[in-house]
């Protein structure tokens, strides 16, 4: 489908800023999304993800900086951008009182295409919800709504797809299925910008930007981000987890200790000796204490960067 | 002594011919952190509403905080705490006004309110924000405050519906530490979440699929039983079997 | 144009799926017309009257008999002139008809074309001015219409000889209902899309906002046309308004007013961001002045100057005035050209402002 090479990146953002009153929602953000790339914006609510999406989909205008989508400027060429992008806002923007097929038909009409024109693109997704096509959308489960919203955003075969937190509030299995769908779309050459508050989803992206309070903390491939953690991370576990947390924080050589799944993660000073630390804890009455080095994850990087900022 | 704060047996809820919750049975003990997991549409919300006294079960029996779930919904409501992801605080009221409102709802005296508020603000380091409108606080602060407000009347059990949804990883952990602290102080915690690493923080976890509880036990027990490394894998194995769309 | 029609279809589906609202919209005019027409009428239909007749001539007896058989009047008997005040004060009677001592002579004189004093005097209990005014009108007419001679009683009500109040209310109800359906419903349906987030997707599509807006208006326009037909049929057949005025003018000005109300709705939707605000604006800012100032309830002429001045900028005032002329007074199109021009000007201004304000960005 995209046979020729594009001279422009899918998205190019240069020093983009946007404020709402005194709140600086975006503070001089720059990044690039390549053709056919699956790019993730990872950050909590209020980080500025939605503002960035609205800027790039030409719904709002920036205070400073510039950006282009598909080589088109978000201010000067906004009408042409609107023909080429697919957008799925944070809340699934479907009409609850219309049925599945009525919603799809309407969004097709919105882009002046017929559902059958691009059926090949949505077919793998739409087939899963097709049994419910005469059901009203408000009677669908979260996972099905999410798939229908994606079909609606894809119906005009956009070259760039914007997905604002499509997996929020969706259970782990549905989230997995959704990512599989995105891999397929990527394989068809569609560039995707996706935001998510779930750190574990970063590994599904080609590259990610960690974003917090309107600023980008880091941009890289998930692997490189993890490798750039730059120090040994220890995992602490034992029987009284809450007690261990407090005990670890009292230790001089532990800079930081936070719960992480079944263990606590420790950031330590250079002189830290895990064996001595474990023995000291056991001596104060903790049972089954284990301290071992672990590989850091995206979430560890995020926590570390947030702490520094 | 019976330390069961929640004890339900064969609880069912039907909507017409549709059985949303299908004979669930479990106990939650005092001071426990009980994780209530399930896929979308598994019946979690419906089950939680029954336990909070917001709706009556179609069949079954049980007690929450010592009151009958079949008949004493109003009494249950007075003796539990509840915090939901979407709505818990009034954005246009200040921190203090919110606290006073909720404490007042639960019939606390003025002296009790002042004492508990001082404790709460110290613990959260919120002293300076007491007259700030909640709408101006960052999301993470709101959630921490919401949790504290939900437990201000020292309920026997507090129900938390996705307390950490969308919150940054640092605040998420701070909220869990508040939860730990409350549990250590004897408050029973009943919590739902979509973050599987948070399932590891729970004393025991139940996983609902198609209206039934398919797994129940400590995270360690469940991982051993299903022979996997993480709770995430346990959840996926069970949720994949789900037949129900909604 | 396939795209446009699917917009209209989608909007129509929203309306049809919301059964309760649609029912209200379609039934409201019927209920209001019947309510105002029959129940809450200021019309007077049972006037107790007594007669003072110094001499009982045949002509007087005929007049009294004619009044007695009329459904609206109940004859309470002959009284002496001195008792008039007492009976009225006690509320025993609403009116006293006093025949002149030389009634027969005066009637004959009038028939012969000689000037003469009044032959009949009407005395009314005016503690309820409404009853007094309309009752006087009734009685005068009854005495006039029934008599073979032209009596020197001044007739105040040239139109609507029975003074049926439903006549006066019909234009007011129309002014209200079109505003309610068009302004309120369209503004709510646009703002709802802002609230649920679908507006974001609509805006991030190549479709021009104007097309979305016009498509939204079409179903409400049609709905209003149905209501126009309903109200006019009810007026004609249930309330028996003669409707002898210009039909073209009547329908033309109604359609113009509907367009104006739609533009108002669009304007509200550009100001409001939530459905509640849209509802409040249409309810408080639009409906209240329409009810108070448009002459629907209180005659505009009786209002203080400042309020009269305000009423000039209220579209409903002009619409209702024009409809009175066309529907009730039975005048031709030429009588309402001023109202027509004013309404057209208002529509143009509103549409321009609304379209300017409705931009294709979120801010």
């Amino acid at each position: 489908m995209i046979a020729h090479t594009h001279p422009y990146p899918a998205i190019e953002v240069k020093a983009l800023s946007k404020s709402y009153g005194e709140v600086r929602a975006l503070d001089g953000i720059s990044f690039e999304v390549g053709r056919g790339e699956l790019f993730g914006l990872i950050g909590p609510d209020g980080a500025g993800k939605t503002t960035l999406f609205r800027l790039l989909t030409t719904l709002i205008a920036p205070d400073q900086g510039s950006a282009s989508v598909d080589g088109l400027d978000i201010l000067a060429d906004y009408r042409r951008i609107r023909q080429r992008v697919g957008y799925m806002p944070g809340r699934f923007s479907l009409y609850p009182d219309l049925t599945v097929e009525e919603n799809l038909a309407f969004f097709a009409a919105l882009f002046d295409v017929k559902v059958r024109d691009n059926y090949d693109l949505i077919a793998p997704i739409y087939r899963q919800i097709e049994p419910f096509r005469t059901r009203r959308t408000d009677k669908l489960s979260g996972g099905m709504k999410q798939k229908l919203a994606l079909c609606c955003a894809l119906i005009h075969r956009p070259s760039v797809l914007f997905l604002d937190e499509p997996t929020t509030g969706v259970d782990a299995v549905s989230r997995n299925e959704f990512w599989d769908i995105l891999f397929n779309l990527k394989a068809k050459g569609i560039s995707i910008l996706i935001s998510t508050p779930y750190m574990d989803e970063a590994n599904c992206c080609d590259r990610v930007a960690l974003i917090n309070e309107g600023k980008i903390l880091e941009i890289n491939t998930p692997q490189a981000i993890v490798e750039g953690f730059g120090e040994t991370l220890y995992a602490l576990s034992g029987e009284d987890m809450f007690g261990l947390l407090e005990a670890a924080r009292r230790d001089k050589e532990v800079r930081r200790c936070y719960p992480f799944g079944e263990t606590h993660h420790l950031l330590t000073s250079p002189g830290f000796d895990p064996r001595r630390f474990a023995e000291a804890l056991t001596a104060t009455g903790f049972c089954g204490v284990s301290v071992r080095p672990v590989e850091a994850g995206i979430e560890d990087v995020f926590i570390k960067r947030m702490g520094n900022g | 002594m019976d330390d069961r704060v929640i004890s339900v047996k064969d609880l069912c809820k039907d909507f017409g011919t549709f059985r949303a919750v299908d004979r669930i049975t479990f106990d939650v003990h005092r001071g426990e952190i009980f994780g209530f997991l399930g896929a979308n549409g598994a019946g979690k919300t419906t089950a939680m509403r029954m336990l909070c006294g917001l709706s009556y079960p179609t069949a079954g029996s049980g007690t929450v905080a010592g009151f009958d779930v079949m008949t004493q919904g109003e009494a249950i409501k007075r003796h539990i705490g509840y915090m939901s992801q979407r709505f818990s605080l009034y954005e246009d009221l200040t921190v203090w006004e919110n606290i006073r409102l909720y404490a007042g709802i639960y019939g606390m005296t003025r002296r009790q309110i002042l004492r508990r508020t001082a404790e709460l603000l110290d613990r959260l380091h919120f002293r300076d924000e007491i007259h700030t409108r909640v709408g101006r606080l960052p999301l993470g602060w709101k959630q921490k405050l919401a949790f504290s407000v939900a437990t201000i009347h020292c309920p026997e059990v507090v129900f938390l519906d996705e307390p950490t949804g969308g919150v940054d990883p640092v605040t998420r952990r701070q909220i869990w530490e508040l939860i730990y602290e409350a549990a250590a102080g004897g408050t029973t915690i009943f919590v739902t979440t979509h973050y599987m690493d948070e399932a590891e923080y729970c004393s025991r976890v139940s996983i609902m699929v198609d209206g039934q509880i398919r797994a129940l036990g400590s995270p360690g027990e469940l991982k051993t039983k299903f022979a996997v490394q993480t709770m995430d894998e346990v959840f996926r194995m069970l949720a994949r079997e789900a037949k129900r769309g909604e | 144009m396939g795209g446009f029609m699917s917009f209209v279809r989608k909007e129509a589906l929203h309306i049809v799926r919301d059964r309760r609202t649609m029912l209200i919209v379609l039934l409201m005019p019927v209920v209001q017309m019947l309510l105002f027409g029959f129940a809450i009428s200021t019309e007077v239909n049972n006037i107790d009257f007594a007669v003072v007749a110094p001499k009982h001539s045949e002509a007087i007896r005929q007049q009294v008999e004619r009044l007695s058989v009329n459904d609206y009047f109940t004859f309470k008997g002959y009284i002496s002139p001195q008792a008039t005040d007492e009976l009225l004060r006690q509320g025993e009677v609403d009116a006293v008809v006093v025949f002149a001592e030389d009634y027969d002579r005066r009637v004959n004189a009038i028939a012969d074309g000689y000037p003469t004093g009044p032959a009949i005097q009407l005395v009314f209990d005016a503690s309820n001015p409404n009853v007094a005014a309309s009752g006087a009108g009734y009685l005068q007419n009854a005495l006039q219409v029934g008599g073979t001679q032209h009596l020197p009683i001044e007739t105040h009500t040239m139109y609507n000889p029975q003074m049926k109040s439903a006549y006066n209310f019909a234009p007011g109800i129309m002014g209200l209902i079109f505003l309610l359906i068009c302004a309120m419903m369209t503004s709510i349906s646009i703002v709802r899309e802002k609230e649920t987030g679908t507006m974001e997707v609509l805006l991030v599509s190549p479709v021009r906002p104007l097309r979305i807006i016009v498509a939204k208006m079409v179903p409400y326009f049609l709905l209003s046309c149905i209501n126009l037909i309903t109200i006019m049929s009810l007026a004609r057949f249930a309330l028996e308004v003669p409707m002898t005025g210009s039909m073209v003018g009547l329908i033309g000005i109604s359609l113009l007013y509907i367009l104006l109300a739609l533009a108002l709705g669009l304007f509200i939707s550009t100001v409001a961001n939530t459905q509640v605000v849209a509802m409040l604006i249409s309810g408080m800012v639009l409906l209240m002045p329409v009810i108070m100032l448009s002459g629907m309830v209180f005659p505009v002429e009786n209002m203080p100057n400042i309020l009269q001045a305000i009423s000039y900028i209220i579209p409903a005032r002009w619409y209702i005035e024009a409809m009175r002329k066309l529907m009730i007074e039975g005048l031709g199109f030429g009588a309402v050209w001023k109202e027509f021009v004013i309404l057209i000007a208002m529509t143009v201004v509103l549409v321009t402002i609304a379209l300017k304000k409705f931009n294709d960005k979120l801010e």
Side-chain angles (χ1 to χ4, degrees), chain A:
Chain A
M1 182 176 50
I2 301 175
H4 56 289
T5 51
H6 286 267
Y8 311 105
I11 301 168
E12 197 175 7
V13 177
K14 285 181 191 153
L16 212 55
S17 290
K18 177 77 188 175
S19 297
Y20 291 105
E22 285 172 22
V23 183
R24 225 168 152 76
L26 278 184
D27 194 357
I29 275 187
S30 301
F31 67 93
E32 231 181 78
V33 177
R35 285 283 151 194
E37 193 174 19
L38 178 49
F39 191 94
L41 277 173
I42 317 279
D45 286 3
K49 295 176 303 215
T50 299
T51 305
L52 182 58
F53 274 101
R54 288 183 171 170
L55 282 166
L56 293 177
T57 51
T58 76
L59 281 170
I60 54 176
D63 297 336
Q64 273 149 31
S66 65
S68 65
V69 175
D70 219 0
L72 300 165
D73 186 81
I74 57 165
L75 282 176
D77 300 317
Y78 76 96
R79 290 213 168 275
R80 285 167 69 203
I81 290 180
R82 291 179 181 188
Q83 289 170 358
R84 302 192 190 183
V85 302
Y87 176 38
M88 195 170 140
R91 300 161 290 177
F92 304 137
S93 300
L94 301 163
Y95 294 99
D97 54 340
L98 299 189
T99 64
V100 169
E101 55 187 1
E102 281 164 353
N103 263 298
L104 194 63
F106 174 71
F107 282 100
L110 198 59
F111 289 93
D112 211 13
V113 296
K114 294 269 179 300
V115 172
R116 61 174 177 278
D117 293 345
N118 294 315
Y119 190 74
D120 62 301
L121 188 64
I122 61 162
I125 317 162
Y126 191 63
R127 260 184 228 124
Q128 299 173 36
I129 44 176
E130 211 166 11
F132 311 101
R133 65 179 189 280
T134 53
R135 195 186 276 194
R136 273 173 63 137
T137 306
D138 52 4
K139 299 275 192 295
L140 294 179
S141 71
M144 287 201 283
K145 272 186 204 156
Q146 176 202 43
K147 282 172 194 155
L148 176 57
L150 183 62
C151 287
C152 292
L154 282 171
I155 194 69
H156 59 297
R157 201 179 282 274
S159 59
V160 184
L161 188 58
F162 291 94
L163 307 171
D164 191 6
E165 297 207 6
T167 53
T168 295
V170 176
D171 69 67
V173 172
S174 301
R175 262 156 61 191
N176 255 20
E177 286 175 14
F178 193 78
W179 279 99
D180 285 339
I181 292 170
L182 294 189
F183 297 148
N184 275 326
L185 292 175
K186 194 192 124 180
K188 290 184 177 160
I190 295 177
S191 314
I192 303 171
L193 180 68
I194 180 171
S195 70
T196 173
Y198 299 102
M199 304 280 155
D200 54 342
E201 294 185 343
N203 295 317
C204 303
C205 303
D206 296 329
R207 284 193 307 144
V208 296
L210 304 186
I211 179 170
N212 194 41
E213 291 180 345
K215 291 196 176 88
I216 288 183
L217 303 175
E218 190 159 348
I219 304 177
N220 221 322
T221 61
Q223 254 171 320
I225 286 181
V226 168
E227 282 161 12
F229 189 70
E231 64 176 292
T232 316
L233 185 72
Y234 292 96
L236 165 68
S237 61
E239 264 169 33
D240 174 13
M241 287 303 282
F242 187 53
L244 278 175
L245 185 68
E246 292 185 319
R249 281 183 183 160
R250 281 194 293 271
D251 194 282
K252 275 193 220 71
E253 274 161 350
V254 175
R255 276 167 30 233
R256 207 154 170 192
C257 176
Y258 49 85
F260 203 97
E262 55 182 334
T263 64
H264 296 322
H265 281 183
L266 308 179
L267 288 172
T268 57
S269 304
F272 181 77
D273 178 356
R275 249 187 59 197
R276 196 192 47 74
F277 179 67
E279 280 162 9
L281 285 174
T282 309
T284 48
F286 286 102
C287 297
V289 178
S290 139
V291 182
R292 57 197 164 78
V294 285
E295 249 177 68
I298 295 278
E299 194 154 358
D300 292 299
V301 175
F302 203 99
I303 291 169
K304 191 179 171 190
R305 291 309 204 93
M306 268 185 79
N308 293 351

Side-chain angles (χ1 to χ4, degrees), chain C residues 31 161 220 275-276 361:
Chain C
V31 172
Y220 291 105
Q275 291 179 65
V276 177
K361 301 251 175 192

Side-chain angles (χ1 to χ4, degrees), chain C residues 2 9 28 30 32 40-41 65 74 84 124 127 134 136 138 140 147 149 206 216 227 243 257 282 284 307 354 357:
Chain C
R9 206 177 75 93
M28 187 170 55
V30 178
Q32 287 205 355
I40 323 175
S41 65
E65 188 153 310
T74 309
T84 306
F124 256 88
S127 59
S134 28
Y138 280 148
Q140 284 173 357
Q149 303 97 349
K216 264 195 177 299
N227 277 331
M243 302 233 263
Y257 183 69
S282 8
M284 298 307 291
L307 289 184
K357 285 210 73 171

